[in-house]
Amino acid sequence: MTAHKRYPIPDAIKDTTLLNEEQYQAMYNQSISDPEAFWAEQAGMLEWYQAPTKIKNTRFGEGEVSIKWFEDGELNASYNCIDRHLADNAKKTAIHWEGDTPGEAEAITYQQLHYEVCKLANGLKKLGVKKGDRVAIYMPMVPQAAYAMLACARIGAVHSVIFGGFSPNAIADRINDSDAKVIITSDEGRRAGRSVPLKTNVDKALADGACPSITNAVVLKLTGADVDWNDDVDVWWDELVDDCTGQCEPEVMNAEDPLFILYTSGSTGTPKGVVHTTGGYLLYTAMTFKYVFDYQPDDIYWCTADVGWITGHSYMVYGPLINGASQVFFEGVPNYPDVRRIAQVVEKYKVNSLYTAPTAIRALMAHGDKPAEGCDLSSLRLLGSVGEPINPEAWEWYHRVLGENRCPIVDTWWQTETGGIMITPLAGATELKPGSATRPFFGIEPALFDADGKELEGANEGNLVIKNSWPSQARTVYGDHERFINTYFSTYPGVYFTGDGARRDEDDYFWITGRVDDVLNVSGHRLGTAEIESAMVAHSKVAEAAVVGYPHDIKGQGIYVYVTPNDGVTADEALSKELRDWVRNELSPIATPDKIQWSEGLPKTRSGKIMRRILRKIAANEHDQLGDTSTLADPSVVDKLIAERLNK
Ligand code: PRX
């Protein structure tokens, strides 16, 4: 095996980081050998109405999966994010909001955050929202998105944030799956100078009684665009909260009460509503935020994610706010108005730690050193990466151009289901290797299994599992605990299966190799091939469709679709465009196919199962590595597909 390039811990940060190597080792060892004692002590990071005495009660048994942490503790998430900081830090900025258009900005203190969240919490109560009710949130990246989440948490309602890029059908599916009572949205969103018709999308989702559980839509006036109005359902945010006070007593919640549902894609079927509960999730996100970003009280932290994804939940709302941090909340995109936007925002707010995704880094890297030109990046101390494997070239560019060869990069591996960061370097404790997420965080026991369920030892490559529970682990799939068990605990009974492959090297460093199931990671967005396929076959001209990922320079993975049109349909460029637009509208612009290949037939086994392994190889132009095709019902299909692919 070739030796990897290494980046030692810079001398300049050795005395200032929260943890060094010995401290990491000591804490890690305790977290594994005595999790009860370790987590009981860490629980002091949160403020509890009733401190927990029962720490861990978790079972990954066959047929029975039950995960409880701190089960007799009582607390409130919004209290921990806001009220606890008011005594000493009321005037501290919680959110530096930076708009899509440069120059548009607003600073929100913890005091203001308290006021806004309480007002909306009271407004939601007026609409009849009670503890345990679900509230959907479909918002752009404005501070009100965080207010909405925290207002739900304050009154014990369960939020379900729907990414602002999803289309009406996807919104309706998510509302109906969770039986949401209220949806909170805005007239429009803005992105790279364009407007996004959020309210119109909600109207379409609710049309014709498609979402019977919804009683009201709360609408924030943001751009002032003309929107349709239904007096029975719609209520302006401002009018709703106008007569509400800025005080709202937080609801006392059990540690195991649900905090939120977040939908994510799997290898089969419709998206799953991943359920996170209160105590364990808050503790783990607070703790990982502190140690992974080496948080110091005067830091300015910036995560470029969207609140619609788990990164936005854990590391833009709960983690930073519990720590009382000041952070940048960015409405725009990294290359608008031009490729220096990230560097300009870093300079403007003197950002100390920046957390972004490999896809953004690769998009900027295509412009050489220009993305940093003329900008003062000296405030940066630490860089982070999340969402997909970071290729060493992108890592090196990030380190050199934005990190000025000075800042360590924390490549954080985790998932919607894990709630918080699982495998990551720590700036003061871990020597870095570009492309490796390195070592587990406290309490995390990663292991590699082969296809037969045998654990692999030492330097090896296999399927990544986690052997024991950790506090922010998802508790269930909303309304379908069987599916939770089947998806995560049936492949390898007794452990949590991540769906990722990984390699462990001679230093016990982990290298995530990507999904081993039919889940795509397109620009850091997680998409199920099954979802895209079902959108495709819903089109009247499509007989059959198979979706696979293929390597893409910027997106990491692109979406490659094999389509068999119905008899008599002309397969041409016009149809290709029609199908692309169709998926955009049915599902989301992020699910738009990059390549469509017409195919008379698909490679299937004699029992009719599509052999995706072969389709993936053809899409990636790796025709020489097709492997065994002898089980195919009609092997000649493959030759035709290859011939077509080569002509593209
Ligand atoms: O394949 C892994 C990839 O993203 C998946 C989880 O996606 P999602 O639930 O949307 O959460 C993304 C943000 C945490 C994982 O199964 N992934 C995430 N981070 C990394 C990664 N792959 C490699 N390296 C990472 N740092």
Side-chain angles (χ1 to χ4, degrees):
M1 197 180 288
T2 52
H4 298 293
K5 200 163 169 188
R6 289 163 183 268
Y7 285 79
I9 299 157
D11 285 333
I13 66 167
K14 276 190 175 148
D15 296 333
T16 58
T17 52
L18 293 176
L19 297 175
N20 61 27
E21 170 70 5
E22 293 84 70
Q23 288 163 320
Y24 163 74
Q25 287 296 350
M27 281 175 80
Y28 182 75
N29 292 343
Q30 196 213 355
S31 75
I32 301 301
S33 63
D34 192 356
E36 296 264 343
F38 180 84
W39 290 110
E41 188 186 334
Q42 297 303 326
M45 274 192 84
L46 300 179
E47 284 197 24
W48 303 82
Y49 299 118
Q50 178 73 51
T53 61
K54 296 183 182 160
I55 305 302
K56 180 174 186 284
N57 177 7
T58 63
R59 270 192 301 279
F60 290 178
E62 245 170 299
E64 193 207 351
V65 173
S66 159
I67 302 162
K68 290 185 185 147
W69 284 86
F70 314 114
E71 61 187 296
D72 61 347
E74 290 176 347
L75 75 172
N76 179 281
S78 121
Y79 181 90
N80 271 279
C81 289
I82 311 172
D83 305 46
R84 68 185 297 195
H85 308 307
L86 295 183
D88 297 328
N89 282 314
K91 296 211 168 71
K92 182 171 176 176
T93 300
I95 297 174
H96 290 282
W97 178 71
E98 170 77 12
D100 187 46
T101 314
E104 251 190 294
E106 201 185 332
I108 295 111
T109 63
Y110 274 92
Q111 184 75 64
Q112 282 168 285
L113 186 61
H114 179 263
Y115 177 78
E116 300 285 357
V117 167
C118 286
K119 280 189 82 110
L120 182 63
N122 286 326
L124 291 174
K125 279 187 181 173
K126 257 194 342 194
L127 296 179
V129 178
K130 289 192 278 304
K131 179 172 174 171
D133 287 344
R134 276 78 55 212
V135 173
I137 298 175
Y138 181 66
M139 293 281 286
M141 279 297 302
V142 291
Q144 287 84 353
Y147 305 165
M149 292 162 74
L150 293 163
C152 290
R154 196 159 189 95
I155 62 174
V158 180
H159 59 71
S160 164
V161 181
I162 302 170
F163 173 57
F166 278 124
S167 311
N169 285 335
I171 302 171
D173 288 347
R174 285 159 176 75
I175 288 175
N176 288 332
D177 188 78
S178 64
D179 271 329
K181 194 166 190 172
V182 166
I183 180 160
I184 306 176
T185 188
S186 72
D187 48 6
E188 287 184 326
R190 289 168 298 209
R191 241 177 93 83
R194 292 189 307 272
S195 49
V196 186
L198 297 180
K199 169 71 165 68
T200 304
N201 286 345
V202 170
D203 290 344
K204 287 183 185 160
L206 303 186
D208 305 322
C211 299
S213 60
I214 292 284
T215 56
N216 290 101
V218 178
V219 187
L220 175 76
K221 189 173 270 188
L222 191 64
T223 66
D226 253 344
V227 288
D228 285 347
W229 204 253
N230 175 351
D231 280 326
D232 295 336
V233 176
D234 299 334
V235 39
W236 288 112
W237 178 314
D238 275 358
E239 290 175 14
L240 174 70
V241 305
D242 196 37
D243 62 353
C244 294
T245 71
Q247 289 296 332
C248 174
E249 205 45 45
E251 193 75 34
V252 175
M253 304 298 286
N254 179 272
E256 281 301 332
D257 281 334
L259 178 62
F260 65 86
I261 302 170
L262 187 59
Y263 285 84
T264 193
S265 300
S267 48
T268 55
T270 51
K272 295 181 284 280
V274 169
V275 177
H276 282 288
T277 57
T278 309
Y281 172 82
L282 292 179
L283 175 59
Y284 194 82
T285 52
M287 192 179 169
T288 43
F289 175 79
K290 177 174 163 182
Y291 289 117
V292 174
F293 300 105
D294 196 49
Y295 172 68
Q296 325 260 342
D298 292 328
D299 275 358
I300 306 285
Y301 159 85
W302 179 22
C303 169
T304 67
D306 188 288
V307 285
W309 306 113
I310 190 69
T311 310
H313 284 57
S314 303
Y315 300 110
M316 296 179 72
V317 178
Y318 294 108
L321 293 177
I322 292 171
N323 280 280
S326 291
Q327 65 170 321
V328 177
F329 219 79
F330 179 44
E331 188 184 30
V333 298
N335 55 2
Y336 175 81
D338 70 57
V339 295
R340 287 172 310 159
R341 189 72 193 275
I342 289 218
Q344 286 163 346
V345 174
V346 167
E347 173 176 313
K348 176 174 176 185
Y349 295 101
K350 300 196 169 33
V351 171
N352 304 109
S353 43
L354 171 68
Y355 192 30
T356 192
T359 189
I361 296 165
R362 287 191 298 264
L364 295 181
M365 183 171 83
H367 300 272
D369 291 4
K370 191 149 180 266
E373 232 165 60
C375 298
D376 178 1
L377 300 176
S378 58
S379 59
L380 281 175
R381 208 180 64 225
L382 182 146
L383 302 173
S385 172
V386 59
E388 47 176 321
I390 180 164
N391 47 314
E393 301 72 37
W395 195 104
E396 298 281 358
W397 182 91
Y398 195 27
H399 189 258
R400 180 177 62 81
V401 179
L402 292 183
E404 299 182 325
N405 292 317
R406 176 186 73 247
C407 305
I409 297 177
V410 292
D411 174 5
T412 63
W413 173 83
W414 57 295
Q415 312 177 297
T416 304
E417 296 88 339
T418 70
I421 294 167
M422 304 284 280
I423 300 183
T424 179
L426 297 177
T430 320
E431 191 172 79
L432 305 173
K433 299 183 194 179
S436 173
T438 78
R439 301 184 297 187
F441 192 75
F442 306 130
I444 307 303
E445 278 183 82
L448 300 177
F449 276 42
D450 70 10
D452 303 324
K454 189 165 90 42
E455 182 168 355
L456 303 167
E457 304 294 335
N460 230 321
E461 183 164 346
N463 290 340
L464 180 65
V465 307
I466 311 293
K467 291 172 88 172
N468 204 343
S469 183
W470 63 100
S472 66
Q473 179 171 25
R475 301 300 194 252
T476 191
V477 167
Y478 189 76
D480 199 348
H481 196 61
E482 271 312 298
R483 193 172 175 199
F484 182 66
I485 297 175
N486 290 338
T487 310
Y488 306 108
F489 302 94
S490 65
T491 315
Y492 301 119
V495 299
Y496 166 79
F497 177 42
T498 64
D500 279 313
R503 188 160 61 76
R504 186 173 43 215
D505 72 13
E506 60 289 353
D507 295 321
D508 284 341
Y509 275 29
F510 285 89
W511 300 71
I512 310 297
T513 51
R515 301 290 305 197
V516 294
D517 52 9
D518 290 320
V519 170
L520 306 183
N521 195 326
V522 180
S523 300
H525 299 313
R526 180 167 159 183
L527 293 165
T529 50
E531 280 173 275
I532 307 172
E533 282 167 9
S534 76
M536 292 293 290
V537 297
H539 190 284
S540 60
K541 293 180 185 164
V542 174
E544 196 166 33
V547 173
V548 295
Y550 73 100
H552 187 289
D553 283 350
I554 306 276
K555 297 179 173 186
Q557 273 189 309
I559 301 174
Y560 196 108
V561 193
Y562 297 87
V563 176
T564 312
N566 277 321
D567 283 349
V569 171
T570 315
D572 56 9
E573 210 25 62
L575 180 59
S576 189
K577 181 172 181 316
E578 191 177 324
L579 294 179
R580 278 199 183 86
D581 290 345
W582 171 263
V583 176
R584 279 180 91 82
N585 292 327
E586 284 288 298
L587 198 56
S588 166
I590 58 177
T592 310
D594 293 283
K595 291 191 174 170
I596 293 182
Q597 175 171 346
W598 309 116
S599 59
E600 278 170 40
L602 295 170
K604 290 184 186 162
T605 59
R606 285 181 205 108
S607 59
K609 200 167 166 280
I610 295 176
M611 288 190 75
R612 284 162 199 287
R613 175 177 58 79
I614 293 177
L615 293 176
R616 274 195 289 270
K617 290 291 178 197
I618 296 174
N621 261 331
E622 293 171 353
H623 316 131
D624 48 336
Q625 301 165 32
L626 289 184
D628 182 13
T629 56
S630 63
T631 53
L632 286 175
D634 174 9
S636 72
V637 169
V638 173
D639 299 330
K640 280 191 208 139
L641 288 176
I642 293 176
E644 290 278 314
R645 176 68 178 86
L646 291 176
N647 289 336
K648 274 177 105 68

